[in-house]
């Protein structure tokens, strides 16, 4: 892990060296890109990595007031690469200075240690993304007027906050792919994490490229809230196994968000975009409002939501079975206790009877 002092340094460019110093290498590369701004020769190339590109300025109602919008293009790849380096650095900082210190106090097993690190990293990201996304939704008023999800499509022109939000989202989930190697994730956990990372990349990139940023944003914010509650609950559970109330809240919100996602998706692709004034397919204009694209997008969302509900139901059934198994030994113990008490009562009753007849027999003899 980078940003950590080691007693012994492994051979240069060895796998262990890369694992220990990957965050340092990312920070050096990011600083090198920033230093390129100091020189006029390199500044025009380096600026592509740092700032958001494809700025378009419009004048409102022939007045002096100007509004800046942004489109997407190939240069966004460079910007995503730079903020992917930033995500790697922040990942290492959170791991070294927060999560590792908490892990030393809790003394968790290897399995719980891996899950604690995963939930800790994702909890920070979901909290940041939820607050940021909610502030954008509040400014854009998407929640008040759902018709903005398909009205005036294609939404090829974005505000700075919207575009920068998507750039950071794609950069974060792309950085999660090499982190599977850098963090030495267990082999049995890699397929599960790789699956949801690829789903995030596909859905967020699809919404960004197909100019469905409004729909993607309004679906991401409640989803991130639910995931934040789950991972925060899991962190509290690892610190104290009696703290499980958060999972109940998560379960209720999880089902509600799945229904919300399906409702908004069907409403947007099935009714809204199908009735807009300019249906058609044009890459130059960013218009992808054709039947095949709408069905593909709606099918992808429905399949993902069905898969998530299937995983959720299996998770709840697993927890229910574990709860039943814990209750069965308790019933056995209570039944054995009851049996022992009955035996003791029978023995006491027999002893009382024998002592009574013995007293009667002795009294007769003495007379």
């Amino acid at each position: 892990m980078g940003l950590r002092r080691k007693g012994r340094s492994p051979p240069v460019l060895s796998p262990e060296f890369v694992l220990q110093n990957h965050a340092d290498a990312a920070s050096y590369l990011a600083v090198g890109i920033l230093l390129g701004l100091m020189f006029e020769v390199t500044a025009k190339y380096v600026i592509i990595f740092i700032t958001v590109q494809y700025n378009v300025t419009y004048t409102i109602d022939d007045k002096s007031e100007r509004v800046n919008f942004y489109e997407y293009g190939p240069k966004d790849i460079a910007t995503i690469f730079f903020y992917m380096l930033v995500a790697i650095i922040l990942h290492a900082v959170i791991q070294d200075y927060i999560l590792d210190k908490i892990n030393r106090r809790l003394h968790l097993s290897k399995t719980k240690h891996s899950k604690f690190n995963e939930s800790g990293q994702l909890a920070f990201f979901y909290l940041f993304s939820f607050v940021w996304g909610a502030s954008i939704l509040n400014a854009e008023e998407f929640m008040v007027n759902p018709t903005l999800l398909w009205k005036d499509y294609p939404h090829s022109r974005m505000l700075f906050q919207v575009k920068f939000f998507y750039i950071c989202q794609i950069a974060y989930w792309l950085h999660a792919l090499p982190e599977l190697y850098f963090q030495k994730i267990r082999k049995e956990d890699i397929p599960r994490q790789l699956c949801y990372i690829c789903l995030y990349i596909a859905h967020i990139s699809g919404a960004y490229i197909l100019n469905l940023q409004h729909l993607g944003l309004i679906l991401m914010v409640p989803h991130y809230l639910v995931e934040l509650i789950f991972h925060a609950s899991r962190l509290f559970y690892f610190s104290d196994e009696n703290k499980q109330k958060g999972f109940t809240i998560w379960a209720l919100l999880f089902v509600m968000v799945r229904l919300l996602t399906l409702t908004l998706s069907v409403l947007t692709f099935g009714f809204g975009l199908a009735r807009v004034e300019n249906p058609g397919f044009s890459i130059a204009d960013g218009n992808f409002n054709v039947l095949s694209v709408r069905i593909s997008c709606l099918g992808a969302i429905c399949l993902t939501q069905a898969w998530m509900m299937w995983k959720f139901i299996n998770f709840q059934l697993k927890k229910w079975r574990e709860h039943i198994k814990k209750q069965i030994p308790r019933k056995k113990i209570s039944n054995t206790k009851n049996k022992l008490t009955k035996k003791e009562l029978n023995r006491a009753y027999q002893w009382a009877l024998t002592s009574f007849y013995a007293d009667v027999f002795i009294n007769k003899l003495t007379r």
Side-chain angles (χ1 to χ4, degrees):
M1 174 75 59
L3 301 176
R4 186 184 295 174
R5 296 181 180 179
K6 298 290 181 180
R8 295 181 180 179
S9 57
V12 179
L13 299 181
S14 64
E16 190 65 26
F17 179 84
V18 174
L19 291 174
Q20 291 184 9
N21 300 280
H22 71 276
D24 295 329
S27 61
Y28 295 151
L29 184 56
V31 170
I33 293 174
L34 292 173
L35 289 176
L37 294 173
M38 300 175 60
F39 306 98
E40 186 177 357
V41 178
T42 58
K44 59 182 179 180
Y45 301 106
V46 172
I47 199 69
I48 300 174
F49 292 88
I50 302 170
T51 61
V52 178
Q53 301 298 308
Y54 301 103
N55 180 17
V56 180
T57 304
Y58 292 92
T59 303
I60 300 177
D61 297 334
D62 297 333
K63 297 180 180 178
S64 58
E65 183 180 359
R66 294 184 177 182
V67 180
N68 293 324
F69 290 96
Y70 294 85
E71 300 176 350
Y72 68 81
K75 294 181 181 179
D76 291 340
I77 299 174
T79 312
I80 291 172
F81 174 75
F82 176 78
Y83 287 100
M84 187 174 69
L85 297 177
V86 175
I88 292 175
I89 298 169
L90 293 177
H91 189 115
V93 170
I94 294 172
Q95 185 66 44
D96 286 351
Y97 295 102
I98 299 177
L99 297 180
D100 284 350
K101 291 183 178 180
I102 298 174
N103 272 319
R104 294 190 193 101
R105 296 180 180 179
L106 296 177
H107 304 289
L108 300 173
S109 62
K110 290 184 178 180
T111 303
K112 290 185 177 180
H113 179 83
S114 177
K115 292 182 179 180
F116 183 88
N117 289 336
E118 179 189 3
S119 293
Q121 294 287 346
L122 291 175
F124 277 104
F125 170 73
Y126 287 138
L127 176 61
F128 175 75
S129 299
F130 170 73
V131 175
W132 189 7
S135 65
I136 297 174
L137 288 180
N138 185 38
E140 293 293 318
E141 297 182 352
F142 292 149
M143 301 296 291
V144 179
N145 188 8
T147 58
L148 294 175
L149 296 176
W150 58 81
K151 187 178 180 181
D152 299 328
Y153 181 85
H155 306 135
S156 57
R157 297 174 180 84
M158 299 169 278
L159 294 174
F160 172 80
Q161 288 290 339
V162 176
K163 177 166 183 174
F164 192 49
F165 178 82
Y166 272 90
I167 292 289
C168 293
Q169 292 295 314
I170 298 173
Y172 179 86
W173 291 113
L174 284 175
H175 112 280
L177 292 175
E179 286 292 345
L180 295 176
Y181 173 73
F182 294 147
Q183 297 296 323
K184 296 182 179 179
I185 303 299
R186 299 185 309 161
K187 291 182 179 180
E188 53 268 27
D189 291 337
I190 289 178
R192 176 182 59 83
Q193 295 190 26
L194 187 63
C195 181
Y196 72 72
I197 290 171
C198 292
L199 283 174
Y200 274 116
I201 294 173
H203 284 75
I204 296 174
S205 301
Y208 184 68
I209 294 172
L210 297 176
N211 289 319
L212 297 169
Q213 299 89 356
H214 296 174
L215 178 64
L217 187 61
I218 203 172
L219 294 182
M220 269 192 285
V221 171
H223 174 74
Y224 282 169
L225 174 62
V226 173
E227 294 299 309
L228 171 62
I229 294 173
F230 172 76
H231 289 286
S233 301
R234 195 155 74 162
L235 291 175
F236 286 118
Y237 174 76
F238 289 141
S239 62
D240 185 1
E241 293 186 356
N242 294 323
K243 297 179 180 178
Q244 300 186 18
K245 294 182 179 179
F247 291 110
T248 304
I249 300 173
W250 164 75
L252 294 174
L253 291 178
F254 183 89
V255 177
M256 294 174 63
V257 171
R258 301 286 74 78
L259 294 175
L260 176 65
T261 302
L262 291 174
T263 302
L264 291 177
S265 300
V266 172
L267 190 64
T268 301
F269 293 108
F271 298 96
L273 292 176
R275 299 179 181 180
V276 295
E277 297 178 355
N278 55 343
F281 184 84
S282 175
I283 298 177
D285 297 332
N287 191 350
F288 302 93
N289 188 15
V290 292
L291 181 61
S292 59
V293 175
R294 292 199 303 269
I295 292 176
S296 300
C297 292
L298 184 60
I301 293 174
C302 292
L303 288 175
T304 303
Q305 301 307 307
W307 176 77
M308 293 176 69
M309 281 300 301
W310 175 254
K311 300 285 288 185
F312 172 78
I313 293 171
N314 287 334
F315 176 78
Q316 296 298 328
L317 289 175
K318 181 181 177 181
K319 291 294 182 182
W320 179 67
R321 289 168 185 166
E322 291 176 356
H323 179 71
I324 290 177
K325 287 181 180 179
K326 290 179 181 179
Q327 295 296 325
I328 292 174
R330 293 179 182 177
K331 292 181 179 180
K332 288 183 178 180
I333 292 171
S334 61
N335 290 332
T336 54
K337 288 182 177 180
N338 292 331
K339 290 179 181 179
L340 289 173
T341 53
K342 289 178 181 179
K343 290 180 180 179
E344 291 176 354
L345 288 172
N346 291 329
R347 289 176 182 176
Y349 178 72
Q350 291 176 1
W351 180 83
L353 285 176
T354 52
S355 61
F356 172 75
Y357 289 122
D359 291 338
V360 171
F361 181 73
I362 292 169
N363 290 330
K364 288 182 178 180
L365 290 176
T366 53
R367 288 177 185 177

